[in-house]
Amino acid sequence: MEVSNPYLGYKILFEAMVKFSAGISMAKKLEEISLEVSLHLKYLLNFQDFNYFFIAGQEVDCFWVNQMGKTRYHTCHLDQLDPIHKQVFESGIPEYNYCEKSNTSTHAWKFFNENNHFSLLSIRSHIDNPFNEKSIPIIKVVNKMLSARIENLKMIQLIHLQNQELESLTTVLQSKNTEIQALNNQQESIIIEKTTRLKDSNKKLRGLIQFNSHQLREPLTRVISLVAIKEDLLVEEYISDILPLLSESVMDLDRAIIEVIERSEFFDKEEK
Amino acid sequence: MKVFLIDDQKITNVLNRKYLSMIREDLEIFDFDDPELAMDALEKEKPALIFLDLNMPIVSGWDILLFMRKRKIEIPVIILTSSSSQQDREKANLFHNVFSFQLKPLTKSGFTELLQGYYLLDEYKPT
């Protein structure tokens, strides 16, 4: 792409660069990057095939565009790169070769980007419309733009993924919370039931104690009175009138004690 | 002067009768081990004082008190019970004809003090 007027040349280049940059920025997904490249790159440099590889660790995002407007995006492993790109990646030295059979030349570069990410860029051009080495600064800028945008999109992708994970974790957490709540409710109702049973049994026990104490006290008070009245009576009168009553009351007391024991045994059985 | 002893325990009635007759010779003492008979006799005999047990089977001392309240029978009552329950004591206070709440056993001195302290059965009560 040669323009005779240098000013006009720069203007065209500037506008093409702006469009390329705007297009790349518009891409919302990695898949859309190739399309944007195919729309705008042809105004910046001559090429038949354009390859761009964004390398993060062992993972490679591959973008391909040809001059006919065909595009492709896929990911692969670092080992799956073709020989020329692998060679450039390993040596770091730009590569150039010419194929006489197809009359095409291939240029390939490796770039070291921010955050330990690499990229490879290659251009295959036909002898009729060759890649101009003057375009190398443009290649650098193109790499800069692409790598920045790709990294940006990958970050968004990662955040999106983490959000999804977080959401699914939240769902799990919510369901766990519901389970815990249900368990708590269950526990609470068990406690209430047990407390009620305990209160009920306490009430019964209290009733039993009151009943028992009355049962015992009644004959006991008779015995006390029957002993106390001795002071006020003649011995003969006491023996004839009171002693039989005393004996009867003592027997009543004994019976009452036996009954109390029986009742407490019955209460024990009922509680079990 | 008539006095009612209401207690389902015959022996208690015998004892109380002995004590009361030791203190006062002029008393006409009626004892009931069946509270229902006492209820029947109340209006007819109109005693001047009643010694009443609380815990009795079938008809309790409370039933007698309620019966008297219902019939508007205004006779002083001394509760004589073996129950030391505070609840019973408070409940008894709600009957205005209950003069005293006594815990068994009540011996001769107890009866004497009770009758003197309340001027019950006295012809001339201080104003």
PDB file of all heavy atoms in Angstrom, chain B residues 55-79:
ATOM      1  N   ASN B  55     -58.730 -31.834 103.384  1.00  0.00           N
ATOM      2  CA  ASN B  55     -58.579 -32.993 102.492  1.00  0.00           C
ATOM      3  C   ASN B  55     -59.472 -34.146 102.920  1.00  0.00           C
ATOM      4  O   ASN B  55     -59.127 -34.904 103.825  1.00  0.00           O
ATOM      5  CB  ASN B  55     -57.125 -33.455 102.479  1.00  0.00           C
ATOM      6  CG  ASN B  55     -56.236 -32.414 101.839  1.00  0.00           C
ATOM      7  OD1 ASN B  55     -56.336 -32.145 100.654  1.00  0.00           O
ATOM      8  ND2 ASN B  55     -55.400 -31.790 102.653  1.00  0.00           N
ATOM      9  N   MET B  56     -60.620 -34.226 102.258  1.00  0.00           N
ATOM     10  CA  MET B  56     -61.531 -35.332 102.540  1.00  0.00           C
ATOM     11  C   MET B  56     -61.998 -35.888 101.203  1.00  0.00           C
ATOM     12  O   MET B  56     -62.175 -35.126 100.254  1.00  0.00           O
ATOM     13  CB  MET B  56     -62.726 -34.833 103.355  1.00  0.00           C
ATOM     14  CG  MET B  56     -62.342 -34.384 104.765  1.00  0.00           C
ATOM     15  SD  MET B  56     -63.751 -33.890 105.722  1.00  0.00           S
ATOM     16  CE  MET B  56     -64.114 -32.306 105.044  1.00  0.00           C
ATOM     17  N   PRO B  57     -62.190 -37.206 101.118  1.00  0.00           N
ATOM     18  CA  PRO B  57     -62.652 -37.757  99.840  1.00  0.00           C
ATOM     19  C   PRO B  57     -64.123 -37.379  99.591  1.00  0.00           C
ATOM     20  O   PRO B  57     -64.863 -37.086 100.528  1.00  0.00           O
ATOM     21  CB  PRO B  57     -62.477 -39.262 100.017  1.00  0.00           C
ATOM     22  CG  PRO B  57     -62.521 -39.485 101.489  1.00  0.00           C
ATOM     23  CD  PRO B  57     -62.044 -38.238 102.158  1.00  0.00           C
ATOM     24  N   ILE B  58     -64.499 -37.388  98.342  1.00  0.00           N
ATOM     25  CA  ILE B  58     -65.869 -37.095  97.852  1.00  0.00           C
ATOM     26  C   ILE B  58     -66.249 -35.623  98.095  1.00  0.00           C
ATOM     27  O   ILE B  58     -66.273 -34.833  97.166  1.00  0.00           O
ATOM     28  CB  ILE B  58     -66.939 -38.049  98.437  1.00  0.00           C
ATOM     29  CG1 ILE B  58     -66.481 -39.507  98.198  1.00  0.00           C
ATOM     30  CG2 ILE B  58     -68.305 -37.809  97.752  1.00  0.00           C
ATOM     31  CD1 ILE B  58     -67.225 -40.527  98.996  1.00  0.00           C
ATOM     32  N   VAL B  59     -66.517 -35.268  99.359  1.00  0.00           N
ATOM     33  CA  VAL B  59     -66.816 -33.854  99.648  1.00  0.00           C
ATOM     34  C   VAL B  59     -65.648 -33.305 100.477  1.00  0.00           C
ATOM     35  O   VAL B  59     -65.361 -33.803 101.565  1.00  0.00           O
ATOM     36  CB  VAL B  59     -68.130 -33.712 100.422  1.00  0.00           C
ATOM     37  CG1 VAL B  59     -68.370 -32.252 100.805  1.00  0.00           C
ATOM     38  CG2 VAL B  59     -69.291 -34.232  99.591  1.00  0.00           C
ATOM     39  N   SER B  60     -64.987 -32.266  99.924  1.00  0.00           N
ATOM     40  CA  SER B  60     -63.815 -31.727 100.626  1.00  0.00           C
ATOM     41  C   SER B  60     -64.233 -30.548 101.504  1.00  0.00           C
ATOM     42  O   SER B  60     -65.372 -30.077 101.443  1.00  0.00           O
ATOM     43  CB  SER B  60     -62.779 -31.268  99.606  1.00  0.00           C
ATOM     44  OG  SER B  60     -63.244 -30.103  98.967  1.00  0.00           O
ATOM     45  N   GLY B  61     -63.274 -30.071 102.309  1.00  0.00           N
ATOM     46  CA  GLY B  61     -63.520 -28.886 103.135  1.00  0.00           C
ATOM     47  C   GLY B  61     -63.879 -27.682 102.275  1.00  0.00           C
ATOM     48  O   GLY B  61     -64.715 -26.858 102.642  1.00  0.00           O
ATOM     49  N   TRP B  62     -63.231 -27.598 101.092  1.00  0.00           N
ATOM     50  CA  TRP B  62     -63.524 -26.491 100.162  1.00  0.00           C
ATOM     51  C   TRP B  62     -65.000 -26.540  99.731  1.00  0.00           C
ATOM     52  O   TRP B  62     -65.638 -25.492  99.616  1.00  0.00           O
ATOM     53  CB  TRP B  62     -62.630 -26.556  98.923  1.00  0.00           C
ATOM     54  CG  TRP B  62     -61.164 -26.530  99.235  1.00  0.00           C
ATOM     55  CD1 TRP B  62     -60.262 -27.502  99.011  1.00  0.00           C
ATOM     56  CD2 TRP B  62     -60.442 -25.459  99.856  1.00  0.00           C
ATOM     57  NE1 TRP B  62     -59.010 -27.136  99.431  1.00  0.00           N
ATOM     58  CE2 TRP B  62     -59.089 -25.874  99.959  1.00  0.00           C
ATOM     59  CE3 TRP B  62     -60.786 -24.197 100.348  1.00  0.00           C
ATOM     60  CZ2 TRP B  62     -58.100 -25.090 100.519  1.00  0.00           C
ATOM     61  CZ3 TRP B  62     -59.791 -23.409 100.903  1.00  0.00           C
ATOM     62  CH2 TRP B  62     -58.469 -23.851 100.993  1.00  0.00           C
ATOM     63  N   ASP B  63     -65.474 -27.764  99.487  1.00  0.00           N
ATOM     64  CA  ASP B  63     -66.882 -27.902  99.068  1.00  0.00           C
ATOM     65  C   ASP B  63     -67.817 -27.372 100.155  1.00  0.00           C
ATOM     66  O   ASP B  63     -68.817 -26.717  99.865  1.00  0.00           O
ATOM     67  CB  ASP B  63     -67.215 -29.372  98.776  1.00  0.00           C
ATOM     68  CG  ASP B  63     -66.445 -29.899  97.577  1.00  0.00           C
ATOM     69  OD1 ASP B  63     -66.160 -29.080  96.673  1.00  0.00           O
ATOM     70  OD2 ASP B  63     -66.116 -31.101  97.546  1.00  0.00           O
ATOM     71  N   ILE B  64     -67.455 -27.646 101.400  1.00  0.00           N
ATOM     72  CA  ILE B  64     -68.288 -27.161 102.506  1.00  0.00           C
ATOM     73  C   ILE B  64     -68.267 -25.628 102.546  1.00  0.00           C
ATOM     74  O   ILE B  64     -69.315 -24.984 102.699  1.00  0.00           O
ATOM     75  CB  ILE B  64     -67.772 -27.717 103.862  1.00  0.00           C
ATOM     76  CG1 ILE B  64     -67.696 -29.236 103.822  1.00  0.00           C
ATOM     77  CG2 ILE B  64     -68.571 -27.156 105.030  1.00  0.00           C
ATOM     78  CD1 ILE B  64     -68.691 -29.991 104.639  1.00  0.00           C
ATOM     79  N   LEU B  65     -67.072 -25.058 102.391  1.00  0.00           N
ATOM     80  CA  LEU B  65     -66.948 -23.595 102.422  1.00  0.00           C
ATOM     81  C   LEU B  65     -67.761 -22.959 101.293  1.00  0.00           C
ATOM     82  O   LEU B  65     -68.444 -21.944 101.489  1.00  0.00           O
ATOM     83  CB  LEU B  65     -65.478 -23.179 102.321  1.00  0.00           C
ATOM     84  CG  LEU B  65     -64.622 -23.426 103.575  1.00  0.00           C
ATOM     85  CD1 LEU B  65     -63.140 -23.211 103.271  1.00  0.00           C
ATOM     86  CD2 LEU B  65     -65.060 -22.504 104.717  1.00  0.00           C
ATOM     87  N   LEU B  66     -67.667 -23.559 100.097  1.00  0.00           N
ATOM     88  CA  LEU B  66     -68.413 -23.026  98.956  1.00  0.00           C
ATOM     89  C   LEU B  66     -69.926 -23.171  99.165  1.00  0.00           C
ATOM     90  O   LEU B  66     -70.695 -22.269  98.826  1.00  0.00           O
ATOM     91  CB  LEU B  66     -67.999 -23.753  97.664  1.00  0.00           C
ATOM     92  CG  LEU B  66     -66.594 -23.397  97.156  1.00  0.00           C
ATOM     93  CD1 LEU B  66     -66.181 -24.341  96.028  1.00  0.00           C
ATOM     94  CD2 LEU B  66     -66.535 -21.945  96.679  1.00  0.00           C
ATOM     95  N   PHE B  67     -70.285 -24.302  99.749  1.00  0.00           N
ATOM     96  CA  PHE B  67     -71.702 -24.539 100.050  1.00  0.00           C
ATOM     97  C   PHE B  67     -72.229 -23.451 100.996  1.00  0.00           C
ATOM     98  O   PHE B  67     -73.300 -22.893 100.799  1.00  0.00           O
ATOM     99  CB  PHE B  67     -71.841 -25.942 100.681  1.00  0.00           C
ATOM    100  CG  PHE B  67     -73.191 -26.237 101.268  1.00  0.00           C
ATOM    101  CD1 PHE B  67     -74.263 -26.637 100.465  1.00  0.00           C
ATOM    102  CD2 PHE B  67     -73.414 -26.133 102.642  1.00  0.00           C
ATOM    103  CE1 PHE B  67     -75.500 -26.925 101.015  1.00  0.00           C
ATOM    104  CE2 PHE B  67     -74.655 -26.405 103.202  1.00  0.00           C
ATOM    105  CZ  PHE B  67     -75.704 -26.807 102.383  1.00  0.00           C
ATOM    106  N   MET B  68     -71.412 -23.139 102.024  1.00  0.00           N
ATOM    107  CA  MET B  68     -71.825 -22.118 102.995  1.00  0.00           C
ATOM    108  C   MET B  68     -71.921 -20.744 102.348  1.00  0.00           C
ATOM    109  O   MET B  68     -72.842 -19.969 102.612  1.00  0.00           O
ATOM    110  CB  MET B  68     -70.837 -22.071 104.162  1.00  0.00           C
ATOM    111  CG  MET B  68     -70.939 -23.288 105.070  1.00  0.00           C
ATOM    112  SD  MET B  68     -69.595 -23.362 106.256  1.00  0.00           S
ATOM    113  CE  MET B  68     -70.095 -22.066 107.372  1.00  0.00           C
ATOM    114  N   ARG B  69     -70.960 -20.476 101.467  1.00  0.00           N
ATOM    115  CA  ARG B  69     -70.970 -19.172 100.792  1.00  0.00           C
ATOM    116  C   ARG B  69     -72.228 -19.046  99.929  1.00  0.00           C
ATOM    117  O   ARG B  69     -72.891 -18.015  99.915  1.00  0.00           O
ATOM    118  CB  ARG B  69     -69.720 -19.042  99.918  1.00  0.00           C
ATOM    119  CG  ARG B  69     -69.673 -17.751  99.135  1.00  0.00           C
ATOM    120  CD  ARG B  69     -68.519 -17.743  98.183  1.00  0.00           C
ATOM    121  NE  ARG B  69     -67.286 -17.306  98.820  1.00  0.00           N
ATOM    122  CZ  ARG B  69     -66.095 -17.310  98.205  1.00  0.00           C
ATOM    123  NH1 ARG B  69     -66.003 -17.760  96.978  1.00  0.00           N
ATOM    124  NH2 ARG B  69     -65.034 -16.878  98.837  1.00  0.00           N
ATOM    125  N   LYS B  70     -72.510 -20.134  99.217  1.00  0.00           N
ATOM    126  CA  LYS B  70     -73.663 -20.145  98.320  1.00  0.00           C
ATOM    127  C   LYS B  70     -74.975 -19.947  99.098  1.00  0.00           C
ATOM    128  O   LYS B  70     -75.861 -19.208  98.674  1.00  0.00           O
ATOM    129  CB  LYS B  70     -73.684 -21.492  97.577  1.00  0.00           C
ATOM    130  CG  LYS B  70     -74.437 -21.460  96.276  1.00  0.00           C
ATOM    131  CD  LYS B  70     -74.230 -22.775  95.533  1.00  0.00           C
ATOM    132  CE  LYS B  70     -75.286 -22.955  94.461  1.00  0.00           C
ATOM    133  NZ  LYS B  70     -75.248 -24.309  93.918  1.00  0.00           N
ATOM    134  N   ARG B  71     -75.051 -20.628 100.260  1.00  0.00           N
ATOM    135  CA  ARG B  71     -76.281 -20.551 101.073  1.00  0.00           C
ATOM    136  C   ARG B  71     -76.273 -19.358 102.036  1.00  0.00           C
ATOM    137  O   ARG B  71     -77.175 -19.216 102.846  1.00  0.00           O
ATOM    138  CB  ARG B  71     -76.428 -21.846 101.896  1.00  0.00           C
ATOM    139  CG  ARG B  71     -76.620 -23.105 101.069  1.00  0.00           C
ATOM    140  CD  ARG B  71     -78.021 -23.128 100.451  1.00  0.00           C
ATOM    141  NE  ARG B  71     -78.228 -24.325  99.693  1.00  0.00           N
ATOM    142  CZ  ARG B  71     -78.777 -25.435 100.186  1.00  0.00           C
ATOM    143  NH1 ARG B  71     -79.153 -25.481 101.440  1.00  0.00           N
ATOM    144  NH2 ARG B  71     -78.939 -26.481  99.412  1.00  0.00           N
ATOM    145  N   LYS B  72     -75.184 -18.581 101.939  1.00  0.00           N
ATOM    146  CA  LYS B  72     -75.030 -17.419 102.828  1.00  0.00           C
ATOM    147  C   LYS B  72     -75.117 -17.830 104.304  1.00  0.00           C
ATOM    148  O   LYS B  72     -75.768 -17.177 105.130  1.00  0.00           O
ATOM    149  CB  LYS B  72     -76.087 -16.340 102.517  1.00  0.00           C
ATOM    150  CG  LYS B  72     -75.925 -15.752 101.118  1.00  0.00           C
ATOM    151  CD  LYS B  72     -76.787 -14.523 100.935  1.00  0.00           C
ATOM    152  CE  LYS B  72     -76.454 -13.760  99.682  1.00  0.00           C
ATOM    153  NZ  LYS B  72     -76.610 -14.528  98.444  1.00  0.00           N
ATOM    154  N   ILE B  73     -74.456 -18.924 104.643  1.00  0.00           N
ATOM    155  CA  ILE B  73     -74.419 -19.387 106.031  1.00  0.00           C
ATOM    156  C   ILE B  73     -73.183 -18.762 106.685  1.00  0.00           C
ATOM    157  O   ILE B  73     -72.046 -19.089 106.312  1.00  0.00           O
ATOM    158  CB  ILE B  73     -74.347 -20.925 106.114  1.00  0.00           C
ATOM    159  CG1 ILE B  73     -75.565 -21.523 105.398  1.00  0.00           C
ATOM    160  CG2 ILE B  73     -74.256 -21.396 107.559  1.00  0.00           C
ATOM    161  CD1 ILE B  73     -75.509 -23.027 105.230  1.00  0.00           C
ATOM    162  N   GLU B  74     -73.408 -17.825 107.579  1.00  0.00           N
ATOM    163  CA  GLU B  74     -72.297 -17.053 108.151  1.00  0.00           C
ATOM    164  C   GLU B  74     -71.885 -17.634 109.499  1.00  0.00           C
ATOM    165  O   GLU B  74     -72.261 -17.105 110.547  1.00  0.00           O
ATOM    166  CB  GLU B  74     -72.712 -15.590 108.335  1.00  0.00           C
ATOM    167  CG  GLU B  74     -73.174 -14.898 107.071  1.00  0.00           C
ATOM    168  CD  GLU B  74     -72.020 -14.308 106.256  1.00  0.00           C
ATOM    169  OE1 GLU B  74     -70.907 -14.214 106.805  1.00  0.00           O
ATOM    170  OE2 GLU B  74     -72.249 -13.946 105.096  1.00  0.00           O
ATOM    171  N   ILE B  75     -71.137 -18.717 109.469  1.00  0.00           N
ATOM    172  CA  ILE B  75     -70.670 -19.321 110.723  1.00  0.00           C
ATOM    173  C   ILE B  75     -69.143 -19.308 110.712  1.00  0.00           C
ATOM    174  O   ILE B  75     -68.531 -19.673 109.697  1.00  0.00           O
ATOM    175  CB  ILE B  75     -71.191 -20.762 110.863  1.00  0.00           C
ATOM    176  CG1 ILE B  75     -72.724 -20.768 110.883  1.00  0.00           C
ATOM    177  CG2 ILE B  75     -70.628 -21.436 112.107  1.00  0.00           C
ATOM    178  CD1 ILE B  75     -73.353 -22.125 110.766  1.00  0.00           C
ATOM    179  N   PRO B  76     -68.486 -18.877 111.823  1.00  0.00           N
ATOM    180  CA  PRO B  76     -67.017 -18.878 111.850  1.00  0.00           C
ATOM    181  C   PRO B  76     -66.454 -20.293 111.685  1.00  0.00           C
ATOM    182  O   PRO B  76     -66.994 -21.237 112.254  1.00  0.00           O
ATOM    183  CB  PRO B  76     -66.665 -18.333 113.236  1.00  0.00           C
ATOM    184  CG  PRO B  76     -67.928 -17.795 113.792  1.00  0.00           C
ATOM    185  CD  PRO B  76     -69.071 -18.378 113.079  1.00  0.00           C
ATOM    186  N   VAL B  77     -65.381 -20.364 110.881  1.00  0.00           N
ATOM    187  CA  VAL B  77     -64.754 -21.659 110.596  1.00  0.00           C
ATOM    188  C   VAL B  77     -63.283 -21.608 110.983  1.00  0.00           C
ATOM    189  O   VAL B  77     -62.610 -20.612 110.729  1.00  0.00           O
ATOM    190  CB  VAL B  77     -64.888 -22.013 109.091  1.00  0.00           C
ATOM    191  CG1 VAL B  77     -64.049 -23.237 108.729  1.00  0.00           C
ATOM    192  CG2 VAL B  77     -66.350 -22.244 108.702  1.00  0.00           C
ATOM    193  N   ILE B  78     -62.818 -22.655 111.651  1.00  0.00           N
ATOM    194  CA  ILE B  78     -61.371 -22.810 111.881  1.00  0.00           C
ATOM    195  C   ILE B  78     -60.923 -24.020 111.072  1.00  0.00           C
ATOM    196  O   ILE B  78     -61.443 -25.124 111.237  1.00  0.00           O
ATOM    197  CB  ILE B  78     -61.063 -23.001 113.379  1.00  0.00           C
ATOM    198  CG1 ILE B  78     -61.329 -21.680 114.129  1.00  0.00           C
ATOM    199  CG2 ILE B  78     -59.593 -23.426 113.569  1.00  0.00           C
ATOM    200  CD1 ILE B  78     -61.231 -21.789 115.632  1.00  0.00           C
ATOM    201  N   ILE B  79     -60.024 -23.758 110.146  1.00  0.00           N
ATOM    202  CA  ILE B  79     -59.506 -24.865 109.327  1.00  0.00           C
ATOM    203  C   ILE B  79     -58.515 -25.638 110.177  1.00  0.00           C
ATOM    204  O   ILE B  79     -57.613 -25.058 110.791  1.00  0.00           O
ATOM    205  CB  ILE B  79     -58.783 -24.324 108.070  1.00  0.00           C
ATOM    206  CG1 ILE B  79     -59.683 -23.420 107.230  1.00  0.00           C
ATOM    207  CG2 ILE B  79     -58.170 -25.454 107.245  1.00  0.00           C
ATOM    208  CD1 ILE B  79     -60.616 -24.088 106.289  1.00  0.00           C
TER     209      ILE B  79
END
